[in-house]
Amino acid sequence: MTAKIIDGVAVAKKIRDDCRGRVQRIVAQSGTRPGLAVIIVGSDPASQIYVRNKIRACANVGIESLRFDYPADVNQDAVIDRITRLNDDPAVHGILVQLPLPPSFDMARILHSISADKDVDGFHLYNVGGLVVGGTVFPPCTPYGVLKLLEHEHIALEGRNVVVVGASNIVGKPMALMLMQHEATVSICHAKTRDLAQFTILADILVVAAGYPNLIQPEMVRTGAVVIDVGINRLGDGRLVGDVNFDGVAAKASYITPVPGGVGPMTVSMLLVNTITSCERWQQQTFVPIFSKFPARVTK
Ligand code: NAD
């Protein structure tokens, strides 16, 4: 068997074309243009590239973007003050804080100061809770992108055995919860899992987000499995690879995502989708029903 390579670039392009149409409709109907505020603290080179790509993607579909740069030694209260003002700014429909933050920052406090109504990264507790009980307003972008890739390929989830390797708050855990919402049978593995292969070999669908090159070898994958590689690793020679031994596993799987060109382009596209959805909600006045702001100054 040779796997079909899932073309994330092509799927992401379709989603962006759709985004452009939605933006045009919003502007025509209300005169409002969706707006995304991006906050970056420090000068981490990878974060600078990610932010630049997000801003470029916004421009590409007609979303207005605002960028706020802070030095790594900024007082975090200044960042929270900025977020509070953006929460109240009617021209801003999405707010994201680029991660990672400098170690001196209380990441939870920063993320929870973003209004749940503008939390387009989906990291606010309200939106995380929505993943558990259903009805999430803003699904986190990377797992949302994985679901869209599976949907695009008409890969059914109901009743399938799905193994998620990686249990971070940003990728692995929300991925597992979203797959459960689709009635898959989900196992979650992480760095402390003993004998990873005994789990991965059972997967109809294997989603890998560990950040560990060549973690998944062909003998760990069932013949005909769908393999989604979320990992992004920069090798010593400058090459970008995922977590899966691509050539070996592609010879055995039914579907596989490449790195680069698989999940990566989807993540930014889903950020655009969430920002536009947020703008549409503000237009229709369909806000988060319980509370719109988590208290910014929670005591630790
Ligand atoms: P993280 O470091 O926060 O979490 C990694 C998870 O993998 C942890 O739960 C850890 O226990 C687990 N893990 C680590 N080594 C393992 C091993 N040997 N066996 C089993 N589990 C192991 O990372 P993250 O933010 O979740 O990102 C994971 C990977 O996905 C990274 O390579 C990152 O660059 C990539 N990523 C890609 C996108 C994208 O858009 N494609 C978005 C976010 C993250």
Side-chain angles (χ1 to χ4, degrees):
M1 176 169 285
T2 305
K4 177 180 177 195
I5 297 172
I6 301 177
D7 185 349
V9 175
V11 182
K13 183 180 176 307
K14 275 193 188 151
I15 290 172
R16 289 183 199 199
D17 289 345
D18 181 56
C19 284
R20 209 169 290 116
R22 282 172 74 185
V23 170
Q24 282 165 2
R25 274 194 297 281
I26 296 170
V27 174
Q29 282 165 10
S30 67
T32 301
R33 187 170 287 282
L36 174 70
V38 182
I39 295 174
I40 178 165
V41 184
S43 55
D44 175 60
S47 293
Q48 295 287 338
I49 292 171
Y50 290 140
V51 165
R52 211 167 50 229
N53 287 345
K54 287 170 188 178
I55 285 174
R56 195 177 297 152
C58 281
N60 184 257
V61 301
I63 294 174
E64 198 78 57
S65 59
L66 296 165
R67 175 178 172 150
F68 300 93
D69 281 79
Y70 291 93
D73 60 356
V74 68
N75 185 321
Q76 69 173 359
D77 286 340
V79 177
I80 290 175
D81 282 348
R82 168 64 66 192
I83 291 170
T84 306
R85 274 183 279 153
L86 292 169
N87 284 340
D88 293 332
D89 185 341
V92 171
H93 307 97
I95 303 169
L96 83 79
V97 176
Q98 183 64 40
L99 301 178
L101 286 163
S104 62
F105 271 62
D106 180 345
M107 185 178 73
R109 192 174 157 217
I110 297 281
L111 294 181
H112 298 152
S113 68
I114 297 173
S115 162
D117 292 309
K118 300 189 178 185
D119 171 41
V120 288
D121 256 344
F123 298 154
H124 188 287
L125 281 181
Y126 182 91
N127 286 311
V128 175
L131 289 176
V132 179
V133 296
T136 318
V137 182
F138 301 117
C141 300
T142 300
Y144 193 12
V146 171
L147 279 190
K148 285 288 167 192
L149 284 179
L150 294 169
E151 189 184 300
H152 181 266
E153 298 297 334
H154 306 291
I155 295 166
L157 293 171
E158 195 184 299
R160 310 291 295 281
N161 284 343
V162 184
V163 176
V164 179
V165 180
S168 71
N169 290 339
I170 291 171
V171 188
K173 281 186 212 160
M175 183 80 258
L177 289 164
M178 289 161 86
L179 291 161
M180 266 166 61
Q181 295 286 352
H182 284 80
E183 299 185 290
T185 303
V186 183
S187 308
I188 310 173
C189 302
H190 45 74
K192 297 287 163 70
T193 298
R194 280 180 285 136
D195 191 3
L196 183 61
Q198 70 167 322
F199 293 94
T200 59
I201 197 74
L202 296 176
D204 299 316
I205 301 169
L206 179 61
V207 182
V208 192
Y212 197 99
N214 278 318
L215 177 65
I216 303 299
Q217 295 294 338
E219 62 275 16
M220 299 167 73
V221 176
R222 202 175 59 74
T223 301
V226 174
V227 180
I228 305 291
D229 191 352
V230 182
I232 302 176
N233 308 289
R234 178 79 63 187
L235 298 183
D237 60 9
R239 274 185 305 138
L240 214 55
V241 298
D243 293 348
V244 175
N245 169 342
F246 181 83
D247 292 337
V249 172
K252 222 177 158 186
S254 56
Y255 291 84
I256 191 166
T257 57
V259 179
V263 176
M266 296 296 290
T267 297
V268 177
S269 293
M270 302 328 291
L271 172 69
L272 305 177
V273 168
N274 278 350
T275 304
I276 295 165
T277 300
S278 177
C279 183
E280 288 168 348
R281 291 177 77 247
W282 283 88
Q283 298 304 310
Q284 294 153 12
Q285 306 261 309
T286 50
F287 302 132
V288 172
I290 298 175
F291 57 81
S292 63
K293 284 177 203 164
F294 197 82
R297 291 173 201 285
V298 278
T299 42
K300 282 207 281 177

